[in-house]
């Protein structure tokens, strides 16, 4: 099976909430029909493609790409990490229930991934338990940071620990709804900023001892792990010569890197081969980042063109890793 483990949706209930409560959600819908777009007050604008909201459109895109199953995850702008607890819980549950409704249309081809109100950890744990029990979600998507606070912060440990206990996979995804300082030009907020955010998160989880404290946590990295795989040797060397990096963890960064899972949204087949050789094909999974324009429109070709992979490695990347994470 060919399984896309990085495929975004925006449930219609969220779109309706933006339309009806735009002042509370700090966003609005502009345009009509195929020209609709979401405009966030912080400066982030993106087209509201039919594939975000319509199951039939998602299935058509999957068929075009040769995908059997997609794990639907809410687009990061739905995270709403800036909101107070009441609004955050309302929006998060609305989004998660919307994903479940989409999955219910074609459960043979769709699976669900939830989001959590991470800025309110007790509520996040409650929502994690709810969607795991009621919807059967085996995965959640969270930001690489929560409004400037690192995931290693002790306030988030109960959420990560509960995911570990439940065996729920966490896909971390860079999150922004406005330009990042110094990266305003040339779309660098996404092109450079997103992989940089992932690299910073990974290094912090390694050196802070967070991964040592959560040995069974299954955590994934969007966009092929950002810059970390290519620079892991630098982290290993730094860990051997700089005492600051060993203050809280004695574990080799390379060993910790192999704890993570990585998608194939790298657009360069040789990078997929490099990842498989570095961490193992059983830690790499197919992803598209659909339907954003920075998504991979030919994910199977990316895998097929990766040099030096065996048929077994290609099969694991195309679907085997995802099946294991889903418990299927």
């Amino acid at each position: 099976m060919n399984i896309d483990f990085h495929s975004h949706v925006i449930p219609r209930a969220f779109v309706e909430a933006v339309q009806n409560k735009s002042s509370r959600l700090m966003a609005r819908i502009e345009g009509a029909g195929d020209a609709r777009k979401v405009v966030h007050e912080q400066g982030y604008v993106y087209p509201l493609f039919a594939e975000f909201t319509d199951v039939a459109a998602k299935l058509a895109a999957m068929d075009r790409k040769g995908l059997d199953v997609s794990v639907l995850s809410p687009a990061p702008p739905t995270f709403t990490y800036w909101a107070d607890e009441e609004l955050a819980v309302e929006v998060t549950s609305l989004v998660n229930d919307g994903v479940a409704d989409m999955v219910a249309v074609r459960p043979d081809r769709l699976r669900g991934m939830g989001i959590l109100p991470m800025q309110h950890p007790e509520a996040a744990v409650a929502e994690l338990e709810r969607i795991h029990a009621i919807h059967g979600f085996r995965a959640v998507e969270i930001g690489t940071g929560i409004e400037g606070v690192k995931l290693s912060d002790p306030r988030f440990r109960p959420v990560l620990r509960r995911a570990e206990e439940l065996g729920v996979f966490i896909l971390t995804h860079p999150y922004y709804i406005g330009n990042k300082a110094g990266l305003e030009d040339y779309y660098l907020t996404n092109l450079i900023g997103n992989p940089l955010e992932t690299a910073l998160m990974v290094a912090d989880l390694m050196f802070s001892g967070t991964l040592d404290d959560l040995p069974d946590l299954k955590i994934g990295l969007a966009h092929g792990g950002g810059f970390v795989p290519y620079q892991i040797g630098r982290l290993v060397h730094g860990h051997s010569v700089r005492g600051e990096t060993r203050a809280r963890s004695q574990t080799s960064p390379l060993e910790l890197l192999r704890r993570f899972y990585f998608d194939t949204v790298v657009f360069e087949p040789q990078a997929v081969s490099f990842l498989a050789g570095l961490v193992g094909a059983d830690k790499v999974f197919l992803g598209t980042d659909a339907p954003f324009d920075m998504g991979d429109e030919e994910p199977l070709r990316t895998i097929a063109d990766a040099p030096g992979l065996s048929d077994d490695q290609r099969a694991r990347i195309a679907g085997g890793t995802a099946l294991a994470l889903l418990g299927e």
Side-chain angles (χ1 to χ4, degrees), residues 127-139 166-168:
E127 180 65 4
L128 172 62
E129 293 175 340
R130 186 185 77 87
I131 60 178
H132 181 263
I134 294 177
H135 298 318
F137 287 180
R138 299 295 301 269
L166 293 172
V168 170

Side-chain angles (χ1 to χ4, degrees), residues 108-125:
D108 57 323
R109 299 196 64 187
L110 304 174
R111 303 291 186 274
M113 182 184 303
I115 58 174
L116 303 175
M118 289 294 292
Q119 71 273 39
H120 308 291
E122 289 187 7
V125 170

Side-chain angles (χ1 to χ4, degrees), residues 23-194:
S23 60
R24 293 185 67 202
L25 291 178
M26 299 178 67
R28 64 186 184 276
I29 307 297
E30 293 186 353
D34 294 338
R36 284 197 306 171
K37 57 186 177 182
V38 184
V39 180
H40 291 266
E41 291 181 11
Q42 298 91 335
Y44 188 38
V45 181
Y46 50 93
L48 192 57
F49 297 121
E51 189 181 337
F52 276 127
T53 61
D54 184 67
V55 171
K58 176 65 74 176
L59 293 172
M62 291 166 56
D63 291 341
R64 185 179 70 249
K65 298 170 188 175
L67 302 172
D68 300 302
V69 173
S70 285
V71 184
L72 307 181
S73 64
T78 66
F79 288 167
T80 321
Y81 288 151
W82 48 264
D84 62 34
E85 184 168 354
E86 180 183 2
L87 179 59
V89 169
E90 176 187 344
V91 172
T92 300
S93 60
L94 177 147
V95 169
N96 289 338
D97 293 346
V99 171
D101 289 342
M102 298 177 81
V103 171
V105 176
R106 286 298 301 270
D108 57 323
R109 299 196 64 187
L110 304 174
R111 303 291 186 274
M113 182 184 303
I115 58 174
L116 303 175
M118 289 294 292
Q119 71 273 39
H120 308 291
E122 289 187 7
V125 170
E127 180 65 4
L128 172 62
E129 293 175 340
R130 186 185 77 87
I131 60 178
H132 181 263
I134 294 177
H135 298 318
F137 287 180
R138 299 295 301 269
V140 294
E141 179 187 33
I142 66 175
T144 49
I146 313 301
E147 291 294 289
V149 183
K150 299 174 182 177
L151 289 183
S152 62
D153 191 287
R155 77 187 74 176
F156 303 129
R157 198 62 51 88
V159 185
L160 302 180
R161 193 174 303 283
R162 191 65 180 126
E164 178 186 46
E165 293 168 350
L166 293 172
V168 170
F169 174 70
I170 293 178
L171 175 62
T172 58
H173 196 295
Y175 164 71
Y176 68 94
I177 47 179
N179 283 325
K180 297 174 184 176
L183 301 176
E184 296 89 350
D185 297 331
Y186 316 118
Y187 201 52
L188 294 184
T189 287
N190 188 311
L191 300 182
I192 297 296
N194 276 4

Side-chain angles (χ1 to χ4, degrees), residues 2 273 281 302-320:
N2 299 319
S273 298
T302 300
I303 297 171
D305 289 350
L309 295 183
S310 67
D311 290 343
D312 178 69
Q313 287 176 311
R314 296 184 203 279
R316 286 181 182 273
I317 295 170

